[in-house]
Amino acid sequence: MSDDEDDYVLFGSKFTNISTQGKIKHVQDEVVTDEQGRRRFHGAFTGGFSAGYYNSVGSKEGFTPSTFTSSKEKRQTASNRTADMYMDEEDISAFGIAPKNIGKSSEYNEEKSQSKDSILSVMTVDRDSKGVKLMRAMGWKPGFGVGPRKQVEQKESSKAAYSCQPPPGYSKEEGDAEEEEEEEDMYTIGLYLAPKDSNQYMLTAHLTNKGIDYIGISGETSASSSGRDQKVAGFSGEAFGIGALEDGDQYSVYDKDHKSNYSTTIEEEESRSDNFHLTHKFKSTKKDYLGNFNVGKMDKYLRKNYTPPAIPPGFKPFHVPSTSSIKTQPASNIQERAAKLGITDFDRPSPAFAAVPFDKSEEMSEHEGIKDTKPAQPYAMFRPFQSKPAKEERYNKFLKGETIDYFSIGVTDWERDRETEEFTKSSKFFKPLSFEMSNRFASAGTNVEDDKRQELEKQAEKERKEAVRMKMFGQLTRETHQWIPASLLCRRFDVMNPYPDIQSVGTIRRFSRIVTTTSAASTSQVKSPEEEARSVSQHPDNTPSMSRDATRGNNSVSRDATRGNNSVSRDATRGNNSVSRDATRGNNSVSRGAPGPSAVAEDERKLEDRIGDNVDLFKSVFADSDSEESGDEEETPGTSEKSDTQLQNISVKEERDETISHQIPVLGQNSQSDNVTSHGVTVAPELVPVTTPVTLAPIILPMPPSMIPSFTPIPYLPNPVTHPVTPVIVPLPPANHPILFNTDRYQNTADKATLSIDKDLLERIRSIPDQPLKKKKSKKEKKAKKEKKAKKRKKKEKKKKKRKRESSNSSSVDQKSRSRSETRSPSPSRALSRDNRKSRDKRRTRSVSRDDRRDKTRSYSRSRSRERSFSRSHSRDKRTRSRSSDRNRRSGRSSHSSDERRRSRSRRKTRSRSRSRSRSRSRSRSREVLRRSRSREVYRKPHKSRSPISRSKKESEDSRSPYRDEMSLKVTEVERSLGDHSPTLQVLITNQVVDDK
Amino acid sequence: MLKNKPAATIKGHQGPVNQVNYNSNGEYCSSAGDDKTIILWNPLDGVKLKVYNGHGQSVRDVVSSHDNCNLGSASADRCAFYWDVASGTILRRFRGHDSVVNCVKFNKSSNMLLSGGNDSTVRIMDLKSRSYEAVQILDDAKDSITSIDITDDEITVGSVDGRIRIYDIRMGKLHEDFVGESITNVCFSNDNQSVIVNSTDNTVRLIDKTSGQLLNDYTGHVHTKLQLQAVSWYDDSAILSVCEKSKVFIWDLIGGEVKQTLELPALSQTLSVHPSRYQLLTGDISGQINLWITKGEKNPEKHEGEKSMSMWALPPR
């Protein structure tokens, strides 16, 4: 045996005795484990396949679905779990069901190839391109992006922003990558890292006829590139199922990928190379002995080249203009140029206004035999300041855009500004219709008016800038316009709609209005006449028959417009008495800016007495104040009831440079006077068209576009032939409209129209019967009127006496008002302060009268209360008058000696100045108390506010009330009449002056 | 006096902060960034409460409604959005403007949203109705609208055409006050009696709203081209404005002298004052929001990161 044993060569060691190994396990006890020693299989009661605690989902306590989250605190988010997450390493490993990581690193690849070919290993070819080398030299490393290092910032996770989660599995890898990145980011925040590498985007030429990115099924593409068996593996490309013609058996669609398809070893094997599922790089190495060299396959990426178009023979690459074709001779004038360009009608306005061409209006003037005006200059057609040659000269200068040397004249700043304003307005008013209309359209070219207007605006801008530079904010820089808010806006802001009856919204610009259209009726209840109606009225003596009407109309209208507080409306029905009075006044300008209570007028007259004759503005106003009062006396309560006829004032412009004011009775909305419809001109508030035979010259009808529902252009009529005219729509606000209570508002919404009507028409209008209106006045009323008159006369006499008594007192009032009117402006001119004083006095009286009125007439838009107020108006007048005189007396008492007055003035001055200076709260409060006690202003209530600003502007709150409009009524300025033979001209220039505190 | 260093610096925006605004009670602030986002912050501890995404371009303005439930925002994408604060959803998108929307404002009852843009209009939107049509368009301005402010019954609008326009709804009046240079910001003082006007002639003006008179002007800062803000403290004791030299100027309102200047870490265009405290927020072009507090106060603790909205008691709807 030993020999035998010797014969054998023994390899290895002997088996040890099995019995020494211990107990032999039974089959059922054997446990399959994986490489890590974890139990692979479990029984049904131990969790089944792959379950369990250590190598599966769940916890020691038992299986808890990881997808469950309590809905109480945190809402469950849709899980992003995919099959991968349930896979073991085995599944992912090379032999698993979803092999993932198979492949070789490039290092291995290189090593392999180097070790294979020794010669090549010696002659190593550096595969890096020059660029890569360069970048490496600069510090770049493969895997990093290019660029300077950046600090890693904390990224906000934008997940919360999604309204819905993407479906599970959607962009899974991306999400994973992001998560990983985020994890990385957590540690890299704050570090400076190179930017991440970005994939090179390779553009491929589109060479097929298929759609972009469409890869059709082809034998080549189907799975062959992946290295799988072509017959077995699924194919790539897009198609809609297997076609009918295709052999379905060729591809086993339902076949699964099998492990055996893949190589299990990492070595190069020619025979199995097809089955390799390896990276592209690895695959490429097998090709040939050249190892690292690949056969280029770039033909796919080649671009298709198109040859450039052949250059035609004789082509010159530069342009040589033929000089012979156009003779460059500059056109000497526009006509010539137009002729050259083939434009025949260049000077015509835009086609929309072909009805009123410029040149036709010129013809017109020629036809009438007027040649002294320059037709080319639309502004020169009117000379509003004819009575004052110096002023006219300045006006002409102004129109030409020349600078006016005010310094040499020696006027104050305020006067200068006022005049400029006046000029601006005048120049705006006297524009032909075509301009007004073309204003609504964009013009292709430029015209004179545009330039002029721009110039004017420029100048106004300049003045404003100057004011800003001088810090003269306030009047000079402020423009106030009517603005109609939308009703919904008012509702949402919890504010009462200031214009409940107006449908249109937006801003109504104040300029370009000529004559105030006023309605006498029902305006006077809460009307606060803050507007300044400056009327320049000249009555021609050569047309006496006309002037009567015209004067009367103008008179009553301007009165109604300006004097709301009186609540006395005059209409055409007023007796001949007043008419004749007006007529006899002759050249006297008829205009009244005095707001209501005659006490104001008295004050003004006193003022005027003091001022003297140097300011004709006041003179003209106060000269009229007497007659105004007498007019008041004539009024009876009956007139107010009768006053529902609304009057429209139309400034009539003759073909010559004359403007004659003419009044046309117009139906009011709530008027019972249907009989007035027989009148020639009927303009009702509901936009009833005018249906008078009127011959029209260029009409100036500036209306806010919002007020005109439909615009009908007025045809131009070359000859003064009686012609049924196209309806001129002159909107009047409804009678029960709050606007009517506020003349200022009214002025803006109502329209002012200047109609140019020939004499024929005027005759016709003049013959409009007054009877229907007169009839309405009953005997009773007449009687009442007479009584009233008598009463008034008595009262007036009383007052006159009183006035005499108080003449000294009133002077103190003036002093007081002056002291108050000290503004912050560095050099307030005398005129300004005077103006302030006046307006303030007025306001005071007004506010007094309003105070007692307010409680009675809370809702100002109620027509009933309005009527009540009519009947009450006179008594109110009396009351206010007596009140104001009372006040005068009181104020006279309060500051008796002139010394005291001066002191108070200086105190006021300091106060007004100290508005912006620093001061302690208590001091100012005490001062306020002092002031309150001193100034017996009824409407000034103590205003509580913590802020120094609000304290400084007490009045502002008071003025917020709609009843107390902050606008002061500037006195109606009356331009004195011209000589007897001068043409009539009336301009009602409205001007609003912001009351300055 | 404020501390010379910001008490807290809040980072969150990727680009410049166009607008930062306290909400109505001053507890939170919302900021509008060039990065198309609006962020709701707790300014004291720097906690980002919520990010509001939705605008297509840089957000120019954000304002909180008076009940703090909604936000209004204006963006360069010509839209004004109306947001729900708690959910972050856009309740309304107003696309009326023809150009960049510069500013938005709620009215006092927060049922209207006013937006002004470079198309020189202010569009007044009703939030109660379902209509997307503007209730009214204020088109009086001749140039871009830069800012809007609203009192109970007045709307003031500042425009590049150098005018402020005060729309008095109650009186039905429009007051146009000429200031001269482009107006970059206009706001009512807290007593609603005057208007603070910031214009590009290096001047902040205080203009009486009723008369248009100049009450005071404040100079010393540089303001020539940027859209800078000027505001007043809650008690109108001082006027504050940012400066193009990355400073905040604080003037005495009555005296008009410079009380203090704060050096900002970066150029800021916007600032917001606390509604009841001397607290200031500035948002600068680097995307930071700086909190400035008075000298006596302790700097707030800073918490980094986000907290969920549920942790912050939002006012009930």
Side-chain angles (χ1 to χ4, degrees):
Chain A
M1 265 312 270
S2 63
D3 286 63
D4 282 350
E5 279 180 354
D6 289 335
D7 289 338
Y8 294 102
V9 179
L10 290 173
F11 289 100
S13 55
K14 276 184 185 177
F15 282 116
T16 53
N17 197 355
I18 295 166
S19 58
T20 57
Q21 290 242 320
K23 198 184 171 185
I24 296 165
K25 276 180 180 172
H26 295 284
V27 176
Q28 65 265 29
D29 292 330
E30 283 180 343
V31 169
V32 181
T33 57
D34 57 14
E35 307 95 304
Q36 276 83 32
R38 293 174 300 192
R39 187 170 173 175
R40 186 85 184 106
F41 301 110
H42 303 265
F45 297 103
T46 52
F49 178 77
S50 270
Y53 171 53
Y54 285 104
N55 58 351
S56 74
V57 292
S59 63
K60 207 172 185 179
E61 285 73 32
F63 180 80
T64 43
S66 64
T67 51
F68 174 77
T69 42
S70 168
S71 62
K72 210 173 184 184
E73 293 290 323
K74 258 187 179 175
R75 294 272 168 200
Q76 180 193 357
T77 51
S79 59
N80 258 340
R81 290 181 175 275
T82 52
D84 297 42
M85 301 170 93
Y86 299 98
M87 284 179 179
D88 295 326
E89 289 94 315
E90 295 92 337
D91 300 328
I92 303 164
S93 69
F95 310 108
I97 51 171
K100 255 194 175 172
N101 34 3
I102 190 163
K104 286 178 178 179
S105 66
S106 57
E107 283 85 359
Y108 180 80
N109 202 357
E110 278 168 36
E111 278 169 26
K112 182 88 182 157
S113 57
Q114 278 165 15
S115 63
K116 195 183 170 190
D117 303 316
S118 57
I119 305 162
L120 282 176
S121 69
V122 175
M123 314 164 49
T124 308
V125 181
D126 199 344
R127 299 209 292 173
D128 291 332
S129 67
K130 212 68 184 166
V132 172
K133 275 191 215 164
L134 269 170
M135 277 166 54
R136 273 209 173 115
M138 287 164 76
W140 174 80
K141 280 172 190 167
F144 289 99
V146 182
R149 284 170 180 242
K150 279 181 186 167
Q151 194 172 17
V152 177
E153 285 179 6
Q154 190 182 3
K155 272 190 182 171
E156 332 159 356
S157 75
S158 53
K159 270 184 185 173
Y162 287 119
S163 54
C164 60
Q165 289 283 344
Y170 175 76
S171 70
K172 163 200 79 186
E173 275 115 348
E174 204 179 293
D176 284 356
E178 264 179 28
E179 265 172 37
E180 277 168 34
E181 268 180 27
E182 265 174 37
E183 266 184 353
E184 275 176 29
D185 281 352
M186 273 182 62
Y187 303 107
T188 54
I189 289 164
L191 295 178
Y192 283 89
L193 293 180
K196 279 166 191 158
D197 201 5
S198 57
N199 288 327
Q200 199 180 354
Y201 185 66
M202 204 157 197
L203 290 168
T204 52
H206 184 69
L207 298 171
T208 63
N209 291 329
K210 289 160 188 164
I212 293 168
D213 270 2
Y214 176 81
I215 306 158
I217 292 172
S218 66
E220 196 193 346
T221 54
S222 65
S224 65
S225 58
S226 66
R228 296 177 191 183
D229 193 342
Q230 198 166 337
K231 276 193 175 172
V232 178
F235 44 86
S236 69
E238 288 165 42
F240 311 101
I242 296 166
L245 298 173
E246 286 171 50
D247 187 5
D249 297 337
Q250 199 181 344
Y251 309 99
S252 52
V253 180
Y254 304 105
D255 198 30
K256 280 176 186 168
D257 213 352
H258 200 263
K259 266 186 234 171
S260 62
N261 294 331
Y262 300 93
S263 85
T264 54
T265 54
I266 303 172
E267 60 180 296
E268 197 159 56
E269 223 174 301
E270 288 288 323
S271 57
R272 280 205 280 166
S273 65
D274 275 349
N275 289 336
F276 270 32
H277 179 195
L278 295 172
T279 57
H280 179 70
K281 269 180 187 167
F282 186 63
K283 201 179 133 199
S284 67
T285 54
K286 73 177 168 61
K287 284 288 176 189
D288 49 356
Y289 62 92
L290 280 173
N292 292 322
F293 291 95
N294 298 335
V295 178
K297 287 185 107 184
M298 287 300 288
D299 56 333
K300 266 206 162 182
Y301 305 106
L302 276 180
R303 283 177 143 265
K304 209 171 183 181
N305 284 321
Y306 299 94
T307 51
I311 297 165
F315 173 76
K316 286 174 192 167
F318 45 84
H319 177 62
V320 182
S322 57
T323 48
S324 58
S325 62
I326 299 166
K327 294 231 162 55
T328 52
Q329 192 180 21
S332 60
N333 57 9
I334 299 167
Q335 279 84 3
E336 213 170 288
R337 187 165 171 273
K340 267 183 182 167
L341 290 169
I343 302 165
T344 50
D345 51 351
F346 71 97
D347 54 346
R348 225 175 263 174
S350 51
F353 313 110
V356 193
F358 284 124
D359 45 353
K360 287 282 174 67
S361 64
E362 289 168 25
E363 275 174 30
M364 179 92 163
S365 60
E366 276 173 18
H367 177 78
E368 294 296 318
I370 295 165
K371 281 176 184 175
D372 54 342
T373 55
K374 278 176 267 173
Q377 265 197 333
Y379 303 99
M381 275 156 57
F382 299 98
R383 295 192 290 175
F385 308 107
Q386 226 166 0
S387 58
K388 294 175 184 172
K391 196 171 184 180
E392 195 184 24
E393 199 185 313
R394 288 203 295 276
Y395 181 60
N396 289 336
K397 265 188 177 177
F398 173 79
L399 288 182
K400 283 169 194 159
E402 291 170 15
T403 51
I404 304 160
D405 190 15
Y406 279 112
F407 191 74
S408 61
I409 303 163
V411 293
T412 58
D413 288 352
W414 181 77
E415 278 169 336
R416 188 199 63 201
D417 292 338
R418 223 189 89 254
E419 199 174 69
T420 316
E421 201 178 22
E422 208 175 315
F423 285 171
T424 313
K425 273 177 181 160
S426 307
S427 59
K428 270 179 189 167
F429 292 160
F430 297 115
K431 277 174 290 192
L433 175 66
S434 57
F435 173 71
E436 281 303 319
M437 289 209 290
S438 62
N439 225 2
R440 296 179 190 167
F441 298 87
S443 78
T446 58
N447 65 16
V448 187
E449 286 85 13
D450 263 354
D451 294 346
K452 211 76 191 173
R453 196 178 173 196
Q454 278 172 8
E455 218 166 79
L456 290 171
E457 272 170 13
K458 227 180 258 174
Q459 185 158 348
E461 191 87 355
K462 221 202 251 162
E463 279 169 20
R464 266 189 235 111
K465 273 187 180 158
E466 184 71 11
V468 167
R469 202 179 54 75
M470 291 163 71
K471 295 186 178 178
M472 302 254 294
F473 282 83
Q475 273 191 45
L476 297 173
T477 56
R478 170 161 280 201
E479 276 179 46
T480 302
H481 304 287
Q482 216 69 23
W483 177 66
I484 305 170
S487 60
L488 184 63
L489 182 71
C490 297
R491 217 182 310 148
R492 292 273 185 271
F493 273 77
D494 289 332
V495 170
M496 198 171 169
N497 192 348
Y499 312 103
D501 296 336
I502 293 181
Q503 298 300 314
S504 58
V505 296
T507 313
I508 300 167
R509 303 264 153 189
R510 260 190 332 114
F511 57 82
S512 76
R513 296 237 161 58
I514 294 173
V515 184
T516 323
T517 313
T518 55
S519 73
S522 66
T523 60
S524 43
Q525 187 187 5
V526 199
K527 190 159 84 178
S528 49
E530 269 87 6
E531 76 164 340
E532 178 203 27
R534 219 182 293 150
S535 97
V536 184
S537 160
Q538 293 143 3
H539 303 283
D541 283 357
N542 48 1
T543 54
S545 59
M546 209 158 64
S547 73
R548 216 189 67 155
D549 259 8
T551 322
R552 190 188 52 181
N554 173 41
N555 187 22
S556 62
V557 165
S558 57
R559 271 183 197 179
D560 292 327
T562 52
R563 202 193 24 166
N565 273 359
N566 276 357
S567 80
V568 176
S569 49
R570 294 141 192 242
D571 48 21
T573 62
R574 214 178 48 206
N576 278 334
N577 196 0
S578 65
V579 173
S580 61
R581 181 173 54 80
D582 291 338
T584 48
R585 215 182 288 155
N587 285 343
N588 268 357
S589 45
V590 186
S591 171
R592 307 154 108 245
S598 56
V600 176
E602 282 169 32
D603 280 358
E604 280 163 2
R605 200 168 53 175
K606 280 175 216 153
L607 262 177
E608 193 245 338
D609 290 339
R610 291 164 49 80
I611 290 158
D613 288 343
N614 46 356
V615 183
D616 56 351
L617 161 70
F618 297 110
K619 193 176 161 191
S620 58
V621 169
F622 300 133
D624 209 35
S625 65
D626 259 340
S627 61
E628 183 190 322
E629 276 177 40
S630 64
D632 286 351
E633 281 161 30
E634 283 162 18
E635 285 153 13
T636 62
T639 42
S640 61
E641 286 162 29
K642 276 238 155 193
S643 61
D644 39 25
T645 306
Q646 297 190 344
L647 302 174
Q648 175 168 18
N649 194 5
I650 297 171
S651 162
V652 181
K653 186 179 73 186
E654 281 202 327
E655 279 77 28
R656 303 203 277 149
D657 285 11
E658 306 171 345
T659 310
I660 298 161
S661 163
H662 193 87
Q663 183 204 1
I664 304 157
V666 165
L667 272 183
Q669 195 188 31
N670 55 351
S671 67
Q672 314 97 341
S673 53
D674 287 345
N675 42 5
V676 196
T677 39
S678 60
H679 285 189
V681 179
T682 311
V683 184
E686 294 99 340
L687 312 178
V688 174
V690 178
T691 52
T692 325
V694 177
T695 308
L696 293 168
I699 278 179
I700 303 174
L701 251 183
M703 288 176 204
S706 60
M707 301 305 294
I708 306 169
S710 63
F711 183 77
T712 332
I714 299 141
Y716 165 72
L717 303 168
N719 297 314
V721 181
T722 319
H723 187 82
V725 91
T726 325
V728 177
I729 296 156
V730 184
L732 286 172
N736 62 345
H737 195 267
I739 273 180
L740 305 185
F741 310 136
N742 186 345
T743 358
D744 169 40
R745 282 175 189 163
Y746 179 67
Q747 168 214 335
N748 286 314
T749 43
D751 275 294
K752 296 134 212 186
T754 301
L755 295 175
S756 292
I757 306 173
D758 65 348
K759 283 176 184 170
D760 225 77
L761 169 75
L762 290 173
E763 210 64 44
R764 209 178 273 259
I765 293 166
R766 211 190 58 220
S767 62
I768 291 166
D770 285 350
Q771 272 74 29
L773 294 170
K774 272 183 182 171
K775 265 180 207 164
K776 281 169 71 189
K777 207 181 265 182
S778 67
K779 281 180 184 174
K780 207 176 169 185
E781 281 165 357
K782 272 183 186 169
K783 205 177 167 188
K785 197 181 174 184
K786 272 185 184 172
E787 281 174 14
K788 174 85 189 182
K789 231 189 266 176
K791 266 187 193 172
K792 272 202 171 174
R793 208 168 288 148
K794 272 185 194 171
K795 207 184 159 197
K796 203 196 163 191
E797 281 168 13
K798 261 189 199 171
K799 262 212 179 146
K800 270 184 181 170
K801 283 177 194 167
K802 211 184 266 175
R803 212 183 295 142
K804 272 173 195 167
R805 258 187 279 133
E806 289 166 6
S807 58
S808 57
N809 295 352
S810 66
S811 67
S812 74
V813 176
D814 295 341
Q815 285 283 356
K816 201 177 165 190
S817 58
R818 182 187 293 171
S819 69
R820 208 172 333 114
S821 66
E822 290 284 350
T823 52
R824 258 176 59 83
S825 52
S827 62
S829 63
R830 243 182 81 209
L832 178 63
S833 67
R834 221 179 292 139
D835 182 48
N836 284 341
R837 198 185 317 148
K838 194 148 46 65
S839 66
R840 196 145 295 154
D841 282 346
K842 258 177 269 164
R843 199 169 40 129
R844 220 180 299 152
T845 49
R846 217 186 311 135
S847 63
V848 170
S849 64
R850 273 195 212 140
D851 257 7
D852 68 339
R853 192 190 314 158
R854 198 172 35 160
D855 41 6
K856 284 168 196 161
T857 57
R858 253 310 152 190
S859 57
Y860 53 84
S861 61
R862 304 277 145 69
S863 60
R864 189 160 292 180
S865 61
R866 188 173 60 233
E867 276 167 28
R868 234 193 301 143
S869 79
F870 285 154
S871 54
R872 212 177 282 138
S873 58
H874 280 282
S875 59
R876 198 181 301 133
D877 268 358
K878 268 182 248 157
R879 229 178 300 149
T880 49
R881 228 172 278 171
S882 62
R883 233 172 227 246
S884 56
S885 57
D886 223 300
R887 189 184 38 72
N888 282 353
R889 239 177 291 134
R890 260 186 285 146
S891 59
R893 239 182 286 133
S894 67
S895 56
H896 241 299
S897 69
S898 59
D899 276 9
E900 208 175 288
R901 253 180 278 135
R902 220 166 290 132
R903 228 177 295 138
S904 75
R905 195 197 311 165
S906 64
R907 244 180 256 141
R908 273 163 209 287
K909 212 182 244 173
T910 51
R911 193 182 316 124
S912 63
R913 210 165 277 158
S914 66
R915 186 192 301 171
S916 59
R917 299 284 173 271
S918 66
R919 58 186 171 187
S920 73
R921 193 171 291 174
S922 61
R923 213 195 303 159
S924 70
R925 197 168 286 164
S926 66
R927 221 181 274 139
E928 199 171 280
V929 171
L930 208 135
R931 194 222 320 233
R932 230 180 289 142
S933 64
R934 195 177 298 134
S935 64
R936 297 168 194 270
E937 285 159 2
V938 183
Y939 63 89
R940 286 196 178 181
K941 285 176 222 154
H943 176 62
K944 264 193 229 168
S945 176
R946 288 164 58 199
S947 158
I949 308 166
S950 59
R951 249 185 286 120
S952 68
K953 292 180 269 86
K954 282 174 40 187
E955 290 115 315
S956 57
E957 199 182 81
D958 284 331
S959 62
R960 304 263 319 110
S961 161
Y963 304 109
R964 302 167 182 160
D965 211 330
E966 71 269 21
M967 292 305 165
S968 76
L969 175 86
K970 226 178 153 191
V971 179
T972 306
E973 190 216 346
V974 177
E975 277 292 328
R976 276 317 188 92
S977 62
L978 301 171
D980 284 354
H981 304 288
S982 55
T984 305
L985 174 74
Q986 184 200 344
V987 191
L988 274 173
I989 301 169
T990 57
N991 185 18
Q992 234 173 10
V993 177
V994 178
D995 187 16
D996 58 328
K997 271 129 208 151
Chain B
M1 287 291 272
L2 296 177
K3 284 184 189 173
N4 284 323
K5 284 249 167 96
T9 302
I10 310 164
K11 290 179 194 170
H13 278 291
Q14 301 288 328
V17 178
N18 285 330
Q19 183 77 25
V20 60
N21 252 328
Y22 274 107
N23 70 349
S24 63
N25 57 4
E27 212 167 318
Y28 309 113
C29 72
S30 49
S31 60
D34 243 10
D35 56 351
K36 309 172 193 173
T37 60
I38 298 159
I39 303 179
L40 185 71
W41 307 91
N42 185 334
L44 289 178
D45 54 11
V47 171
K48 191 191 282 184
L49 298 176
K50 201 162 185 72
V51 182
Y52 300 89
N53 290 295
H55 273 299
Q57 283 179 43
S58 74
V59 191
R60 291 299 185 88
D61 193 5
V62 63
V63 69
S64 173
S65 69
H66 294 87
D67 55 358
N68 298 331
C69 286
N70 302 103
L71 291 177
S73 63
S75 167
D77 61 1
R78 302 187 283 178
C79 290
F81 283 5
Y82 178 56
W83 302 81
D84 182 45
V85 168
S87 67
T89 52
I90 302 163
L91 302 176
R92 296 294 204 86
R93 294 164 201 253
F94 298 111
R95 293 199 173 85
H97 282 284
D98 298 332
S99 185
V100 175
V101 191
N102 273 326
C103 46
V104 280
K105 215 83 177 178
F106 286 103
N107 70 338
K108 277 280 142 68
S109 41
S110 297
N111 49 19
M112 288 217 144
L113 185 70
L114 279 78
S115 58
N118 280 357
D119 57 352
S120 73
T121 61
V122 174
R123 299 179 76 88
I124 305 177
M125 304 297 184
D126 188 15
L127 300 172
K128 271 189 164 177
S129 73
R130 292 178 184 274
S131 167
Y132 283 82
E133 289 287 306
V135 170
Q136 189 165 9
I137 300 171
L138 313 178
D139 52 357
D140 298 292
K142 305 284 186 299
D143 211 330
S144 308
I145 306 289
T146 51
S147 84
I148 304 172
D149 202 10
I150 294 174
T151 63
D152 287 332
D153 52 2
E154 280 159 318
I155 302 164
T156 182
V157 172
S159 170
V160 179
D161 66 1
R163 283 175 178 82
I164 56 168
R165 289 177 176 79
I166 303 172
Y167 295 88
D168 193 334
I169 301 166
R170 202 167 120 183
M171 304 297 290
K173 289 246 168 72
L174 160 63
H175 304 293
E176 271 188 11
D177 280 320
F178 183 82
V179 177
E181 292 299 316
S182 303
I183 290 156
T184 59
N185 190 59
V186 59
C187 69
F188 281 108
S189 62
N190 285 292
D191 66 346
N192 290 340
Q193 293 301 318
S194 47
V195 184
I196 300 157
V197 182
N198 202 7
S199 57
T200 54
D201 51 355
N202 304 325
T203 316
V204 180
R205 290 186 176 87
L206 189 69
I207 289 177
D208 183 17
K209 82 170 178 189
T210 47
S211 66
Q213 283 179 346
L214 182 72
L215 299 176
N216 214 343
D217 53 358
Y218 310 94
T219 52
H221 65 306
V222 181
H223 182 198
T224 52
K225 46 182 187 279
L226 297 178
Q227 191 177 339
L228 304 183
Q229 269 192 302
V231 288
S232 68
W233 283 128
Y234 68 94
D235 57 353
D236 285 334
S237 61
I239 299 268
L240 298 94
S241 173
V242 275
C243 166
E244 280 170 17
K245 298 267 181 263
S246 62
K247 278 178 189 169
V248 171
F249 273 70
I250 303 173
W251 294 274
D252 187 42
L253 184 126
I254 291 167
E257 72 273 357
V258 178
K259 278 162 95 177
Q260 194 183 0
T261 55
L262 304 174
E263 288 284 344
L264 294 169
L267 175 64
S268 297
Q269 289 190 41
T270 173
L271 80 173
S272 175
V273 290
H274 195 277
S276 59
R277 248 179 277 165
Y278 291 118
Q279 218 176 71
L280 178 69
L281 286 177
T282 56
D284 59 30
I285 57 162
S286 68
Q288 283 183 5
I289 297 168
N290 297 305
L291 173 73
W292 308 80
I293 56 173
T294 45
K295 278 188 171 158
E297 270 184 271
K298 220 175 83 180
N299 277 12
E301 278 180 41
K302 201 183 171 190
H303 298 287
E304 283 292 348
E306 281 178 58
K307 284 187 183 175
S308 72
M309 286 287 286
S310 59
M311 293 188 66
W312 298 91
L314 280 164
R317 288 228 70 187

